[in-house]
């Protein structure tokens, strides 16, 4: 590993890449907001369609997470497509399809599909593993941005969880995690700097 540390790679072409499931360690509310924030709704999103999409996602996630099994983006897409395929959700379905059919898609399959458990930032922190996220925007700008936002959102949720469960900031920082986002500039969005500062306070070094 890098400097004797274990690391896990998210990449569409690296042979050492592992499966990541950014929505695994979230509540359904966090899952809905992560997915909605990660997709690109254009300059002037249609609020009605956004609400319908959020609501459909909520229904789907409630159903999928009932039995406690791991749920990944593919499960969410399949269920959404089979139960909520209508005009109001056509935008979210199209974006799911583009993401999951892209070169990055296979990286989001839950671990069981690849025979080893999927990686999450929470797990990486527990196992002291560094994370490297390669989402170069060359050739896939909007999809790479979606990928970047998924991980940034996961980091925000982890930061919140660490804040709630750590005895002190010192403890949080001593159990730190390194998260490297390749070409981070391309995934920057307004909350990013705020996020980086919050995360550093909870030991997530982006």
């Amino acid at each position: 590993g890098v400097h004797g540390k274990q690391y896990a790679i998210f990449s569409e072409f690296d042979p050492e890449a592992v499966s990541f499931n950014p929505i695994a360690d979230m509540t359904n509310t966090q899952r809905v907001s992560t997915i909605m924030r990660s997709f690109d709704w254009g300059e002037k999103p249609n609020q009605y369609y956004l609400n319908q999409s959020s609501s459909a996602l909520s229904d789907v996630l409630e159903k999928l997470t009932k039995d406690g099994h791991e749920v990944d983006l593919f499960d969410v897409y399949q269920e959404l497509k089979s139960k909520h395929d209508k005009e109001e959700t056509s935008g979210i379905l199209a974006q799911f399809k583009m993401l999951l059919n892209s070169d990055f898609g296979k990286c989001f399959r839950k671990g069981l599909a690849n025979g080893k458990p999927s990686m999450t930032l929470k797990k990486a922190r527990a196992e002291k593993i560094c994370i490297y996220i390669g989402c170069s925007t060359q050739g896939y700008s909007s999809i790479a941005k979606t990928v970047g936002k998924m991980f940034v959102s996961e980091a925000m949720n982890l930061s919140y969880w660490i804040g709630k469960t750590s005895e002190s900031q010192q403890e949080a920082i001593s159990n730190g995690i390194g998260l490297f986002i390749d070409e981070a500039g391309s995934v920057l969005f307004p909350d990013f700097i705020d996020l980086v500062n919050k995360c550093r306070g909870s030991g997530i070094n982006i």
Side-chain angles (χ1 to χ4, degrees), residues 13-128:
F13 60 82
D14 192 302
E16 286 186 39
V18 295
S19 280
F20 277 80
N21 187 354
I23 64 169
D25 294 322
M26 294 184 181
T27 65
N28 281 341
T29 311
Q30 291 172 331
R31 289 181 176 118
V32 171
S33 96
T34 293
I35 293 169
M36 295 299 290
R37 289 179 54 156
S38 299
F39 286 142
D40 180 2
W41 301 98
E43 290 296 298
K44 294 196 175 123
N46 176 322
Q47 201 53 51
Y48 173 67
Y49 281 20
L50 282 184
N51 293 344
Q52 291 293 310
S53 299
S54 282
S55 164
L57 264 183
S58 255
D59 291 352
V60 159
L61 282 160
E62 199 177 326
K63 181 165 180 274
L64 288 172
T65 53
K66 266 204 183 82
D67 59 5
H69 291 147
E70 184 185 349
V71 171
D72 67 14
L73 293 170
F74 285 87
D75 300 325
V76 177
Y77 173 58
Q78 291 306 335
E79 185 69 16
L80 204 55
K81 199 165 151 35
S82 69
K83 303 283 191 311
H84 298 272
D85 193 351
K86 47 183 189 276
E87 191 196 337
E88 291 84 347
T89 53
S90 58
I92 193 169
L93 285 168
Q95 297 207 64
F96 256 117
K97 186 177 178 181
M98 274 162 44
L99 174 65
L100 301 178
N101 285 348
S102 75
D103 293 342
F104 293 113
K106 62 182 184 297
C107 314
F108 287 120
R109 277 204 187 283
K110 59 186 170 208
L112 297 173
N114 300 338
K116 50 186 178 203
S118 19
M119 184 48 72
T120 68
L121 299 186
K122 192 172 178 182
K123 191 186 215 168
R125 178 176 181 263
E127 296 174 10
K128 305 234 178 293

Side-chain angles (χ1 to χ4, degrees), residues 177-192:
I177 169 180
L179 173 60
F180 304 96
I181 302 183
D182 185 23
E183 298 201 23
S186 59
V187 298
L188 292 186
F189 45 101
D191 325 342
F192 190 77

Side-chain angles (χ1 to χ4, degrees), residues 1 3 7 12 15 22 24 30 46 62 72 83 97 99 130-131 147-149 160 170 174 178 180 189 204:
H3 308 307
Y7 62 97
E12 79 280 21
Q30 291 172 331
N46 176 322
E62 199 177 326
D72 67 14
K83 303 283 191 311
K97 186 177 178 181
L99 174 65
C130 286
I131 300 282
V147 170
K149 287 177 179 178
Y160 170 70
Q170 280 70 28
S174 67
F180 304 96
F189 45 101
I204 302 172

